Amino acid sequence: MIDLDNLSPKNTERFNENIPLVSLKYNKIISDISDYYPHDLSWQLSSIISRHPSLTKIHRRCCQLFFLKNFILKKNDPVFIKSNDKILSRIINNYFKENKYNSKSIFEQKMFDRLMEKLRPIKSTVLILSNVFSEYLFSRFTRFFFFKIKIYPKSISLIDTFVIPSSFNSNNSTYSDRYYTGALSSLNSDDRDIFFYLPTFVGLNILQYLKYFLKIRNQSDNFILKEDYLHLRDYISAFLEMLKLRGKAKKIFGAPIFFEGFEISKYLLYDIKNSFINEQTYRGLLNYKFVSRLKDSNLDICSLIDWNENQVGDRGLVKGFYDHLPQVKIMGYQGFIVDYDYHVYLKPTENEFDKGFVPHVYHVIGNGLIHTIKEYCQNLTINVAPAFRYQHVWNYENQKKVSRNVVISLPIENKIAFKMMKFVNEGIQGNNINFQLFIKPHPLHNSSKIKKYWDKHKNQDDLKIDILNQSFEHVLSTTDVLISSYSSTSIESLICGIPTIILKGFDIFDHNPIPNDIDEEFLFYSNEPRLLYDIIQKFLNYDYHKRMEFQKNGEKIRSKYFHHCDLSSTYKFLGLS
């Protein structure tokens, strides 16, 4: 039996090898679907067009169907296929029947998961309405009581960013820019005054909205809040436009649509029925309406720097400027490195470019990333900009003495974070723990919940861990071995010459952020817990000369993937030189 959601290590490797080819075919399907309503903004910002794996499963299903046809069915032997997706199993069985395969696909899904899938639109609606209520109410409340007359410079530049729970320093409540770290602080006051942060709130609960609106109102840094420009009818109309998406999908997915011989139109309809109400589409529509309102203000805006992940929120903002403020120069900045095979949406397509959802100029943080981002669209203009978030890697000095500190760096996804902790527990149980174990949560994690989970599931009573809430820069300075998965922290540690273990096997996608051209001698991939303890010991026992060899390799990676931050490159990126 082949479980399409839990492949063997060998089959997982085959599956991932073919993702680039499948992605090209997948992009063509999505572009064709996009063209059914080419001038309908809500359709262009819908879940199915987004190509984002948290909104649509179409890319995953296409990869699974390709793998099934080109590897499993090539043998012409009877086979049983298992899947946790009812509609996918039905599509596979129809293919077996039409092509006379003596095979069968069965569907297995827990009742709770099935229920959560059914309730997803309702859950998304409640989340959107609670967030919108909080934003609208508290933005009006704080603006009324803390109104300040702002004198704007003759011409200003907007910097798209995010406000998360850790955005403000706990000591003095000043804003800490975690996305363009140090970019504005390096400028003189006259140059700095023309830049205004344009924040999106992420990961906040209802009470935190009030707290963070108050903090922003009292900042010395420049902020422009979208919520100050949006009207109540903008929030209502955006929601109503999103509600109509299900009806639009029904009109176009009645005719057959094929992928690798599988008729997938029913799955396309099923996919959008489950995800047509989502916060990303809603944010994209609001961003577009915000720019429309901004047009009616007296502000003279010369440029927008968009933290561009090519999500539908970005597309709504970019399209808004193209349509309503076409004189504004739009610069996209991707200040990160991730697994681009899984995060396929990060690479714009020709279709997205032609429809005006792509910035005038893209900026990446290293020369080695230009070819990757241009893979689906050769028309992109791409420059290299400073790696603001990673400037600490240029100042790192390898320790001469090993402290035997092993750090587990957790990714943003809670589900994977818990699986990683379980993996490490299993991998080191029953062994002599002659090292200190630490956990570095993601900034959006609740540290107490992470600690509670570890203590509840640890296999040895004396296996204690410490939670690290410092910056990752500080964490690296005392780390001897890093354990990571799904996270760019793994490439940061490699650059600093720190032996790195990347855990695999949590999904059929590898989620590997390490570029293919990096020498694997300096890291270790592990999909079996039993191997973990020995590789930790191997890395900890490296002498100083071996670790210096690691650091020299890290310098090569750094020069290719992380552009140095200095005043000259910062001024050039910000358009000041």
Side-chain angles (χ1 to χ4, degrees):
M1 178 178 288
I2 303 294
D3 186 347
L4 288 180
D5 301 295
N6 188 23
L7 298 172
S8 68
K10 185 177 181 180
N11 279 336
T12 298
E13 185 177 342
R14 290 172 175 168
F15 176 89
N16 281 273
E17 284 174 354
N18 287 277
I19 290 174
L21 174 59
V22 179
S23 296
L24 290 172
K25 298 172 180 285
Y26 162 75
N27 288 340
K28 176 65 168 61
I29 289 176
I30 299 303
S31 294
D32 290 345
I33 294 172
S34 166
D35 289 340
Y36 279 109
Y37 300 105
H39 306 296
D40 186 323
L41 183 66
S42 63
W43 184 252
Q44 299 303 322
L45 302 182
S46 65
S47 57
I48 200 166
I49 307 300
S50 73
R51 300 188 292 133
H52 196 292
S54 71
L55 297 183
T56 173
K57 294 181 179 178
I58 302 301
H59 183 242
R60 174 179 288 267
R61 299 313 180 210
C62 285
C63 290
Q64 289 173 316
L65 292 174
F66 184 91
F67 171 75
L68 173 63
K69 179 180 179 180
N70 292 280
F71 289 94
I72 305 302
L73 300 182
K74 283 286 185 182
K75 301 175 183 178
N76 292 319
D77 296 328
V79 64
F80 281 92
I81 303 298
K82 178 183 173 183
S83 169
N84 63 11
D85 191 307
K86 184 178 181 179
I87 306 299
L88 181 66
S89 287
R90 192 178 296 168
I91 288 170
I92 293 171
N93 280 325
N94 287 341
Y95 181 84
F96 287 161
K97 183 178 179 180
E98 291 171 4
N99 292 276
K100 297 181 171 54
Y101 281 100
N102 185 24
S103 301
K104 184 178 181 180
S105 176
I106 61 173
F107 156 69
E108 287 186 11
Q109 187 180 31
K110 294 178 181 178
M111 185 63 71
F112 177 78
D113 293 337
R114 214 180 304 182
L115 178 62
M116 287 297 100
E117 202 167 88
K118 293 286 185 183
L119 294 176
R120 183 178 175 183
I122 298 174
K123 181 181 176 183
S124 296
T125 301
V126 172
L127 176 65
I128 289 170
L129 293 179
S130 64
N131 287 344
V132 166
F133 173 79
S134 302
E135 289 181 12
Y136 184 79
L137 177 66
F138 294 135
S139 68
R140 265 47 182 184
F141 173 80
T142 55
R143 186 174 63 174
F144 180 79
F145 285 101
F146 296 90
F147 179 75
K148 297 178 182 177
I149 297 177
K150 181 72 177 178
I151 300 176
Y152 292 95
K154 183 178 179 181
S155 183
I156 69 172
S157 294
L158 300 180
I159 300 181
D160 172 58
T161 189
F162 300 91
V163 169
I164 60 177
S166 59
S167 288
F168 293 89
N169 294 320
S170 56
N171 296 330
N172 54 18
S173 293
T174 57
Y175 177 67
S176 177
D177 184 358
R178 299 183 182 277
Y179 294 88
Y180 310 86
T181 309
L184 296 190
S185 61
S186 64
L187 307 181
N188 63 54
S189 59
D190 289 339
D191 289 334
R192 187 166 59 244
D193 284 346
I194 72 169
F195 291 97
F196 285 73
Y197 287 116
L198 183 68
T200 297
F201 296 91
V202 177
L204 305 184
N205 60 41
I206 291 178
L207 294 179
Q208 284 177 319
Y209 274 105
L210 175 59
K211 177 181 177 182
Y212 284 83
F213 269 114
L214 288 172
K215 287 187 176 184
I216 286 177
R217 300 287 187 198
N218 286 290
Q219 289 298 304
S220 58
D221 289 311
N222 292 330
F223 281 88
I224 284 181
L225 296 175
K226 302 170 192 173
E227 294 77 11
D228 288 345
Y229 291 82
L230 290 167
H231 296 185
L232 181 59
R233 60 179 174 271
D234 294 326
Y235 290 98
I236 295 172
S237 64
F239 192 79
L240 293 177
E241 288 168 27
M242 187 169 57
L243 287 180
K244 296 175 183 177
L245 287 170
R246 181 171 176 172
K248 294 173 183 176
K250 285 183 177 180
K251 292 180 181 179
I252 64 174
F253 293 142
I257 298 176
F258 290 91
F259 174 80
E260 291 290 299
F262 296 89
E263 207 285 287
I264 62 171
S265 61
K266 288 184 175 60
Y267 197 91
L268 297 172
L269 181 59
Y270 167 75
D271 186 83
I272 200 167
K273 281 169 62 178
N274 281 337
S275 61
F276 70 102
I277 298 177
N278 68 84
E279 191 166 8
Q280 289 192 39
T281 295
Y282 190 59
R283 294 292 177 196
L285 292 168
L286 287 178
N287 282 346
Y288 185 86
K289 294 176 185 295
F290 157 71
V291 183
S292 176
R293 297 293 181 189
L294 196 62
K295 178 184 178 182
D296 298 329
S297 72
N298 294 320
L299 293 178
D300 179 13
I301 301 168
C302 62
S303 66
L304 165 71
I305 298 174
D306 177 37
W307 181 272
N308 192 283
E309 299 177 11
N310 197 35
Q311 297 193 39
V312 288
D314 297 303
R315 297 178 201 174
L317 187 65
V318 170
K319 184 65 172 173
F321 276 93
Y322 272 121
D323 288 353
H324 300 296
L325 293 169
Q327 76 280 5
V328 174
K329 182 180 180 181
I330 308 169
M331 297 181 287
Y333 177 69
Q334 287 196 3
F336 48 82
I337 295 179
V338 295
D339 173 15
Y340 293 95
D341 284 344
Y342 178 72
H343 297 281
V344 64
Y345 61 93
L346 288 169
K347 298 177 285 188
T349 64
E350 293 280 359
N351 188 273
E352 292 159 359
F353 179 88
D354 293 340
K355 287 185 169 67
F357 294 110
V358 177
H360 294 116
V361 181
Y362 256 99
H363 292 82
V364 294
I365 58 174
N367 281 305
L369 297 171
I370 293 176
H371 175 74
T372 299
I373 303 303
K374 293 186 75 167
E375 182 177 356
Y376 306 142
C377 182
Q378 295 300 311
N379 291 323
L380 295 178
T381 300
I382 301 183
N383 294 331
V384 177
F388 294 113
R389 295 174 81 182
Y390 305 101
Q391 53 189 293
H392 57 271
V393 303
W394 292 88
N395 304 318
Y396 179 85
E397 290 186 12
N398 212 324
Q399 307 171 80
K400 293 184 178 180
K401 182 180 179 181
V402 175
S403 304
R404 305 190 73 80
N405 292 335
V406 177
V407 175
I408 309 168
S409 177
L410 300 179
I412 188 172
E413 296 91 343
N414 282 320
K415 184 178 179 181
I416 303 304
F418 294 147
K419 286 184 177 182
M420 281 182 65
M421 289 187 283
K422 182 180 178 182
F423 187 108
V424 174
N425 253 312
E426 292 177 3
I428 64 178
Q429 67 176 334
N431 291 290
N432 175 33
I433 309 303
N434 57 357
F435 50 83
Q436 179 62 47
L437 198 59
F438 299 89
I439 290 179
K440 175 66 177 86
H442 187 275
L444 290 179
H445 284 165
N446 183 315
S447 296
S448 59
K449 288 184 179 179
I450 296 294
K451 180 70 162 61
K452 185 177 180 180
Y453 181 90
W454 177 272
D455 290 340
K456 181 179 179 180
H457 293 88
K458 65 183 181 182
N459 296 313
Q460 296 174 226
D461 291 335
D462 61 343
L463 187 55
K464 297 180 180 180
I465 57 102
D466 289 324
I467 300 292
L468 302 173
N469 289 314
Q470 307 99 313
S471 67
F472 194 65
E473 174 184 359
H474 180 80
V475 170
L476 284 175
S477 67
T478 56
T479 298
D480 298 303
V481 175
L482 186 93
I483 300 174
S484 183
S485 185
Y486 286 57
S487 173
S488 63
T489 56
S490 54
I491 194 167
E492 287 180 70
S493 64
L494 284 172
I495 288 172
C496 294
I498 298 171
T500 302
I501 302 170
I502 298 179
L503 305 185
K504 300 173 71 172
F506 304 130
D507 187 22
I508 52 177
F509 286 85
D510 274 344
H511 298 267
N512 181 19
I514 307 299
N516 294 330
D517 59 349
I518 290 181
D519 194 336
E520 293 190 7
E521 176 190 352
F522 301 95
L523 68 154
F524 185 83
Y525 294 104
S526 178
N527 54 20
E528 295 184 58
R530 64 181 179 83
L531 302 175
L532 184 62
Y533 179 80
D534 288 341
I535 194 63
I536 290 174
Q537 294 298 323
K538 176 184 175 181
F539 282 158
L540 287 174
N541 290 330
Y542 280 157
D543 60 20
Y544 175 71
H545 297 290
K546 184 66 174 178
R547 287 187 288 120
M548 287 306 297
E549 185 182 337
F550 270 59
Q551 186 158 338
K552 288 179 180 178
N553 178 70
E555 291 169 359
K556 294 178 183 178
I557 301 171
R558 185 181 64 187
S559 64
K560 186 172 183 178
Y561 291 100
F562 291 85
H563 188 63
H564 186 47
C565 298
D566 56 32
L567 199 57
S568 174
S569 60
T570 299
Y571 266 73
K572 183 178 179 181
F573 167 68
L574 294 174
L576 297 173
S577 64

